[in-house]
Amino acid sequence: MFPYCGASLSLDACAFPNLRSFATTMEPHTLASFVRRHPQLRELHISPSDLRSIPLPEFSGISLSSLNSVCLPESLLFIISPDAPLRSVLSPEIEDDNEEIPNYIRNLSRYCTTLSELHLSRPHWNAEVLMHVATLLPKIRTFTFTRMIPGLRHHSNVAFLEACETALPFFSSLSQLRIEVARSREIAGFASVSDYRSDFKTVQIWGNKCPTLSICVFPSGTAWHRIKDNVWTPDLHHQAAIRWFFEATSTDQFPINVMGSLEQFCDSMGKVDALGLLNFRSPSAMESAGLYPQTEEDESEYYSSDSDENDLEIEE
């Protein structure tokens, strides 16, 4: 849990010798001097509402060598020491800037040997970012791109997924890929059976292109995990996923070497789970980065989809 700093907290002369994590969304005037007094920080999240409010000259000379997790705008990446064991980065920018993204990734590439997790969020998809990440950070293990503007069925989703498919072969260690649209918890069950049918075909293609990929989340809301070889099953904690899974199993859409275990699972209503299908639960990355207000567009799309009645239930 991050110690949170709001505007009401004065940082003047504050010093905490054992402080390891610090986060703020505000721009206190003494923030730079506070960070300078805490070179031992391992986690630092600074995500101001207005990047222009950051007094950059005051951060000059700061070099944090212990950081392993950051949320920093591109303009503040210089405070991370080149020797820092950086493992996780969340980009706080919320404005589209096609020039900024390559610079951001290029600055992070000096940590390519340690960096394993990257989460970018932007108002719109940016197809170019996939190839920048794949070529400059090929050893990354977890990559998330969240589109902040709602629209679960937006036409641009298809083009971005095509860009993902092109970039996948360039990753050498990618384990988790999450391509998400920001939405609130209230519409967590938005994915439909038709979404699972479509995404099942896509995830198998992606699995072939990137053998290290084990978890994949699509803009539709479907989440998948690889159980063996190139065999993928969804998070079965959603009614639409259960409906699709029973349909796919009954129509022999899985390889014959796993059909026996899958049929046992279905026949026992989940009591016999030899493949550990119920062990996989994939919450949205946005649950850890913060929830966003539900919009009329998301709500209308959700209620107009082929949503499912609660007539199927897996016993855990």
Side-chain angles (χ1 to χ4, degrees):
M1 186 64 157
F2 279 102
Y4 174 76
C5 170
S8 60
L9 176 63
S10 173
L11 299 180
D12 292 338
C14 288
F16 305 98
N18 296 320
L19 186 66
R20 296 294 182 268
S21 302
F22 181 74
T24 180
T25 56
M26 308 303 290
E27 303 86 30
H29 296 298
T30 54
L31 178 58
S33 59
F34 178 83
V35 172
R36 194 184 303 274
R37 288 195 299 275
H38 296 84
Q40 77 279 9
L41 284 171
R42 296 176 183 173
E43 299 176 279
L44 178 62
H45 285 205
I46 300 176
S47 50
S49 57
D50 185 357
L51 297 179
R52 293 169 297 183
S53 66
I54 299 178
L56 294 178
E58 295 182 12
F59 286 86
S60 178
I62 297 178
S63 182
L64 303 178
S65 60
S66 298
L67 287 177
N68 58 48
S69 175
V70 302
C71 174
L72 294 172
E74 193 271 338
S75 57
L76 280 182
L77 289 179
F78 70 88
I79 70 174
I80 309 174
S81 168
D83 300 323
L86 193 63
R87 295 198 303 268
S88 175
V89 173
L90 168 63
S91 168
E93 277 84 7
I94 59 173
E95 296 181 359
D96 277 327
D97 186 340
N98 291 335
E99 294 299 324
E100 176 270 333
I101 289 183
N103 290 335
Y104 197 91
I105 304 303
R106 195 173 298 110
N107 283 326
L108 292 178
S109 65
R110 59 180 173 173
Y111 307 102
C112 63
T113 59
T114 60
L115 189 63
S116 62
E117 181 178 1
L118 176 63
H119 185 170
L120 301 178
S121 58
R122 293 294 184 278
H124 304 281
W125 301 126
N126 186 314
E128 295 181 359
V129 72
L130 275 307
M131 196 56 72
H132 283 299
V133 175
T135 55
L136 294 176
L137 297 170
K139 296 181 180 180
I140 203 165
R141 296 183 57 81
T142 300
F143 178 57
T144 301
F145 194 109
T146 302
R147 197 187 76 186
M148 308 302 294
I149 299 297
L152 306 182
R153 309 285 185 261
H154 198 275
H155 63 86
S156 63
N157 292 0
V158 176
F160 192 73
L161 293 179
E162 291 175 351
C164 288
E165 188 171 314
T166 301
L168 277 173
F170 293 88
F171 289 99
S172 61
S173 305
L174 188 65
S175 175
Q176 297 189 36
L177 177 61
R178 298 173 180 269
I179 308 300
E180 302 183 328
V181 177
R183 56 183 66 85
S184 66
R185 191 186 302 271
E186 283 78 2
I187 56 172
F190 49 84
S192 66
V193 173
S194 61
D195 290 324
Y196 284 94
R197 294 184 188 124
S198 174
D199 292 345
F200 179 57
K201 297 176 182 177
T202 302
V203 78
Q204 292 179 92
I205 295 173
W206 289 16
N208 278 325
K209 289 183 175 292
C210 184
T212 60
L213 192 63
S214 61
I215 293 177
C216 193
V217 180
F218 290 95
S220 62
T222 69
W224 304 81
H225 72 130
R226 191 195 299 255
I227 55 176
K228 62 184 305 183
D229 300 326
N230 197 32
V231 182
W232 296 79
T233 59
D235 180 349
L236 293 175
H237 298 86
H238 302 284
Q239 290 294 326
I242 297 172
R243 279 178 170 269
W244 173 85
F245 181 77
F246 274 68
E247 172 191 293
T249 302
S250 64
T251 53
D252 298 327
Q253 295 185 40
F254 293 101
I256 191 171
N257 63 324
V258 297
M259 279 301 299
S261 297
L262 298 183
E263 289 172 347
Q264 281 186 327
F265 180 89
C266 293
D267 293 342
S268 67
M269 296 301 288
K271 291 182 179 179
V272 179
D273 187 9
L275 297 174
L277 303 180
L278 292 177
N279 294 335
F280 174 63
R281 185 186 292 270
S282 179
S284 165
M286 299 312 297
E287 292 186 14
S288 59
L291 297 174
Y292 295 85
Q294 181 175 347
T295 68
E296 293 182 0
E297 182 178 353
D298 270 344
E299 185 175 358
S300 64
E301 290 185 26
Y302 168 58
Y303 286 111
S304 64
S305 67
D306 53 334
S307 55
D308 307 289
E309 298 177 2
N310 296 328
D311 58 355
L312 288 175
E313 184 174 347
I314 293 293
E315 298 181 14
E316 297 186 55

